[in-house]
């Protein structure tokens, strides 16, 4: 999954007038000159000197960087020369780079290595940055210059990338309130400020809820069914927390295997309800009112800007284009998925009854447990069998090797690049000619200061400046199974596909090759950004690829062919139910954002969607919206459908690789040159057609997912 976005140029449409830094010599000025965030980074590839930065340096650095950004904007606005593409649009693209750098470091850390102190700093910084953004996007003189250039666009000798930057810059202002009347501009400022604060609070509440819960088991009989690797990890967690026995948490590497294997149904239910009620307890971490506030504010902002709904506003800049198209797309997929899901659930229920299940219907906390058993019976396959072949270090080497076969990339680990946590690994990335391409950071284990899930960020985006191709610095962040006292980190197959997914995002960033940072890498439409990540997952099922890295951690034995065939045969196991789950998320997102707020409660909204797609009994006291960080604390509001949309693209794209050969350099070069390198420099459909030779067909996705009876 891809969430956090740095403050790039159009989000340097991020700004507010904060008190100017005094120009007089002072102790504060002297301290500022020593602030490592504001100095040249004297590190390999000018990477962030995390070891030198102290928390109390962020706010002063942000204020100084904003002062620098204001001066750069003033220079554009007050330029006596007539507005041109270079002195206005390109100048704006290059403005605020110091602020981009400082804020990028801060917000990356707030997701991957936060603390109460850092969270407090971000809460203070967020309204300042929002105001800074507003002051740029609502600057009438600046917009007038942009509009002057935009109105002359057909007469200017601009290449395609220049035209895209001009178009994005103009729309960025229009979509951020530049055409509003003065009174409405004040409303727009206030809404953006409230939105930034509410979104931050939502994310903090989810993190708190995740970290504060633990299920302590003291009777070994309650561990029945759990494999040794799960027990050992729980014992290790208990030891770290100063507990006896075994401790299970709401972090994915602990929660998911417990739900899959634990025979104790009451404990499965207990853990499920704890996980599924995060932010839904009417306490200090409750997110219900925050959701209502976010939904209303987003709607109010959209109406202020002349859109019917927040979804209309968001989807204007997407491949789908409109809420109606998205709703139709999701509805069609429900039509394909639901009959298959009903058939699969009936099969699973019959299996459970044959194995002692006595209730009328399976509950949610039964699904993973019985589906894991059925999967093992049908395919003789489960994570206990597979995990020994997926040592984390081997999987990382494997994805690097596949990147080499496809794109000629090589990765060389470095020990001298500063990191924000000792667990983070860093690499130099080189192309097939040995030319430096990027810095890659890998951060793979859960910590209390890291939010759940997996994502890719860039600390430094790619751009060309003063004739120099500034190469990117890319971060992959995951939450995988930790090593124990007796075993290395052994991944579940789901974790393997997650690593490949995030690495696909990483390739989109590492191979970026454009002129402008705001169009570079993953700066694309939301429903296109998942194509590089999701297509990369396909290599996890390829025999040739698996044999590169799936080796038993004790014996070195390459994964046998029969296990590979079982992985491939089980690829669509319970695919209908899995698709309904994804569609449930997408429909809830569109329900929240695709119409006028009706004042409905979280429970009412989810009940409405569940009447369409949920096949399990209703569970009192749970809700997933209150921990749905993708849409309420990340960048996927009115955009969660994009995972399924991109699945259509990736299945169709992968069929091209299969036609040519999965290691075929010609196919890989077409994908690299027309998708990975291009970023947002052209419309996504045009890029896809240049790669594939035609528009995508949904049939490949339906075939691959087994969504036909």
């Amino acid at each position: 999954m891809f969430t956090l976005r740095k403050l790039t140029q159009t989000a340097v449409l991020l700004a507010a007038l904060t008190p100017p830094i005094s120009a007089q010599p002072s102790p504060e000025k002297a301290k500022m000159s020593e602030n490592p965030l504001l100095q040249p980074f004297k590190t390999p590839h000018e990477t962030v000197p995390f070891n030198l930065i102290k928390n109390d340096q962020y706010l002063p650095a942000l204020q100084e960087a904003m002062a620098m950004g204001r001066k750069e904007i003033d220079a554009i606005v007050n330029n006596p020369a007539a507005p041109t593409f270079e002195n206005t649009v390109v100048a704006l693209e290059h403005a605020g780079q110091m602020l981009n750098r400082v804020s990028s470091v801060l917000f990356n850390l707030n997701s991957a290595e936060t603390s109460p102190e850092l969270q407090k700093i971000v809460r203070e910084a967020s309204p300042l940055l929002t105001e800074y953004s507003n002051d740029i996007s609502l600057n009438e003189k600046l917009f007038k210059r942009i509009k002057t250039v935009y109105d002359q666009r057909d007469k200017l000798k601009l290449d395609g990338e220049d035209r895209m930057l001009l178009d994005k810059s103009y729309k960025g202002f229009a979509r951020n309130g530049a055409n509003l009347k003065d009174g409405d501009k004040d409303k727009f400022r206030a809404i953006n400020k409230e939105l930034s604060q509410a979104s931050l609070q939502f994310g903090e509440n989810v993190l708190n809820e995740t970290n504060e819960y633990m299920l302590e088991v003291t009777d070994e009989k309650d561990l029945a069914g759990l494999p040794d690797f799960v027990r050992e990890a729980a014992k290790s967690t208990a030891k770290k927390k100063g507990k006896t026995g075994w401790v299970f948490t709401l972090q994915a590497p602990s929660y998911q295997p417990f739900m899959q294997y634990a025979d104790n149904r009451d404990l499965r239910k207990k853990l499920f309800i704890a996980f599924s009620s995060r932010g839904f307890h009417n306490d200090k971490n409750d997110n219900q009112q925050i959701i209502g506030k976010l939904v209303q504010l987003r709607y109010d902002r959209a109406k202020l800007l002349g859109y019917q709904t927040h979804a209309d506003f968001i989807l204007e800049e997407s491949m789908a284009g409109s809420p109606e198209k998205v709703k139709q797309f999701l509805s069609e997929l429900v039509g394909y998925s639901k009959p298959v899901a009903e058939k699969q659930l009936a099969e699973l229920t019959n299996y459970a009854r044959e194995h002692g299940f006595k209730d009328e219907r399976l509950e949610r906390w039964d699904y993973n447990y019985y589906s894991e058993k059925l999967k093992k019976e049908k395919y003789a396959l489960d994570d206990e069998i597979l995990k020994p072949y997926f040592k984390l270090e081997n999987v990382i080497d494997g994805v690097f090797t596949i990147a080499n076969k496809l794109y000629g990339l090589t990765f060389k680990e470095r020990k001298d690049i500063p990191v924000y946590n000792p667990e983070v690994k860093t690499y130099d990335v080189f192309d097939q000619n040995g030319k430096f391409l990027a810095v890659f950071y890998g951060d793979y284990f859960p910590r209390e200061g890291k939010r759940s899930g997996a994502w890719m960020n860039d600390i430094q985006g790619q751009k060309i400046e003063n004739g120099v191709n500034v190469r990117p610095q890319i971060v992959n962040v995951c939450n995988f199974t930790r090593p124990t006292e007796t075993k290395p980190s052994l991944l579940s197959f789901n974790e393997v596909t997650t690593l490949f997914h995030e690495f696909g995002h990483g390739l989109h960033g590492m191979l970026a090759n454009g002129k402008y940072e705001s169009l570079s890498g993953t700066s694309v439409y939301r429903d296109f950004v998942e194509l590089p990540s999701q297509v990369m997952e396909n290599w996890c099922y390829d025999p040739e690829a698996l044999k590169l890295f799936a080796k038993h951690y004790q014996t070195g034995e390459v994964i046998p062919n029969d296990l590979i065939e079982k992985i491939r045969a089980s690829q669509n196991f319970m695919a209908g139910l899995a698709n309904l789950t994804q569609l449930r998320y997408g429909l809830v997102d569109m329900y929240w954002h695709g119409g006028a707020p009706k004042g409905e409660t979280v429970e009412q909204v989810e009940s409405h969607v569940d009447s369409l797609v949920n096949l399990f009994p209703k569970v009192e006291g749970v809700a997933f919206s209150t921990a749905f960080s993708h849409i309420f604390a990340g960048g996927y509001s009115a955009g969660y459908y994009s995972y399924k949309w991109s699945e259509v693209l990736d299945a169709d794209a992968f069929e091209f690789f299969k036609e040519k050969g999965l290691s075929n350099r010609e196919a890989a070069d077409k994908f690299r040159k027309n998708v990975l390198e291009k970023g947002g420099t052209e419309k996504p459909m045009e890029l896809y057609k240049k790669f594939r030779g035609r528009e995508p067909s949904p049939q490949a996705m339906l075939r691959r997912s087994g969504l036909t009876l």
Side-chain angles (χ1 to χ4, degrees), residues 8 67 453:
T8 58

Side-chain angles (χ1 to χ4, degrees), residues 341-358:
E342 289 171 335
K343 182 179 179 182
Q344 291 171 344
L345 184 57
E347 178 190 12
L348 187 63
T349 303
N350 289 334
Y351 171 83
R353 286 176 181 151
E354 291 169 1
H355 291 77
F357 183 75
K358 299 188 183 335

Side-chain angles (χ1 to χ4, degrees), residues 52-319:
L52 301 179
I53 301 170
K54 298 179 174 60
N55 281 346
D56 62 5
Q57 294 171 322
Y58 282 108
L59 282 175
L62 281 169
Q63 290 179 315
E64 176 66 13
M66 284 189 281
M68 295 167 64
R70 287 195 299 273
K71 289 179 181 177
E72 291 163 347
I73 296 299
D74 287 345
I76 299 170
V77 170
N78 297 320
N79 188 339
T84 66
F85 178 74
E86 288 293 333
N87 72 19
T88 301
V89 179
V90 176
L92 180 60
E93 169 73 15
H94 293 157
Q97 292 192 17
M98 182 60 74
L99 181 58
N100 284 348
R101 182 169 83 168
V102 177
S103 58
S104 177
V105 175
L106 175 61
F107 284 97
N108 270 278
L109 279 183
N110 192 51
S111 287
E113 189 75 3
T114 196
S115 64
E117 183 182 6
L118 199 65
Q119 289 174 337
K120 182 175 182 293
I121 291 167
V122 170
R123 284 195 295 272
E124 292 182 49
S126 183
L128 297 179
L129 291 167
T130 301
E131 284 299 306
Y132 179 86
S133 170
N134 289 337
D135 282 342
I136 292 179
S137 63
L138 301 176
N139 187 315
E140 292 182 13
K141 292 182 179 179
L142 181 58
F143 180 53
K144 185 177 180 181
R145 289 185 68 95
I146 295 285
K147 188 175 185 304
T148 298
V149 180
Y150 183 76
D151 289 343
Q152 299 171 354
R153 61 191 181 282
D154 292 335
K155 301 176 184 177
L156 302 176
K157 295 180 180 179
L158 303 178
D159 63 23
E161 196 167 346
D162 294 339
R163 288 181 68 89
M164 184 62 78
L165 179 67
L166 176 56
D167 184 66
K168 186 173 182 178
S169 299
Y170 176 79
K171 286 183 178 178
F173 274 85
R175 288 169 56 82
N176 281 277
N179 288 316
L180 294 176
K181 297 176 182 178
D182 288 344
D184 287 341
K185 286 181 178 179
D186 292 337
K187 293 178 185 177
F188 185 82
R189 287 177 183 273
I191 288 172
N192 278 349
K193 184 175 181 180
E194 286 190 77
L195 278 171
S196 67
Q197 293 170 324
S199 181
L200 277 173
Q201 189 62 56
F202 184 98
E204 288 182 15
N205 290 348
V206 175
L207 182 63
N208 292 340
E209 290 272 86
T210 302
N211 286 340
E212 289 172 7
Y213 182 87
M214 63 179 178
L215 174 64
E216 189 175 1
V217 175
T218 55
D219 188 342
E220 192 166 1
K221 288 186 294 186
D222 290 330
L223 302 178
L226 294 176
D228 289 342
F229 75 86
V230 181
R231 297 182 183 215
E232 189 173 358
K235 176 69 78 173
S236 179
T237 301
K239 186 175 180 181
K240 289 176 184 175
K241 292 182 177 291
K243 303 290 183 180
T244 57
W246 301 263
V247 166
F248 298 90
T249 73
L250 302 183
Q251 295 283 359
S254 179
Y255 173 79
Q256 289 174 354
F258 192 92
M259 299 305 295
Q260 285 176 291
Y261 296 110
D263 291 340
N264 190 316
R265 192 183 186 213
D266 289 338
L267 288 184
R268 292 202 312 270
K269 177 180 178 180
K270 186 175 183 179
L271 198 62
F272 170 84
I273 289 176
F275 183 86
S276 303
S277 61
R278 290 174 297 166
F280 196 56
H281 294 125
N282 294 308
D283 59 8
K284 60 183 175 64
N285 292 324
D286 192 82
N287 275 333
Q288 294 175 80
Q289 290 187 1
I290 293 176
I291 287 174
K293 184 176 185 179
L294 284 166
V295 169
Q296 185 66 54
L297 288 169
R298 287 168 176 172
Y299 175 78
D300 291 344
R301 182 177 61 182
K303 294 295 286 185
L304 201 60
L305 293 170
Y307 297 88
Q308 286 298 310
T309 69
H310 177 68
D312 286 282
F313 169 68
I314 292 295
L315 294 169
E316 180 183 61
E317 294 292 288
S318 70
M319 292 183 76

Side-chain angles (χ1 to χ4, degrees), residues 2 62 66 196 349 389 406 487 519 608 670 679 696:
F2 173 73
L62 281 169
M66 284 189 281
S196 67
T349 303
Y389 292 96
L406 292 173
K487 293 185 180 68
L519 301 177
H608 172 76
K670 285 196 74 173

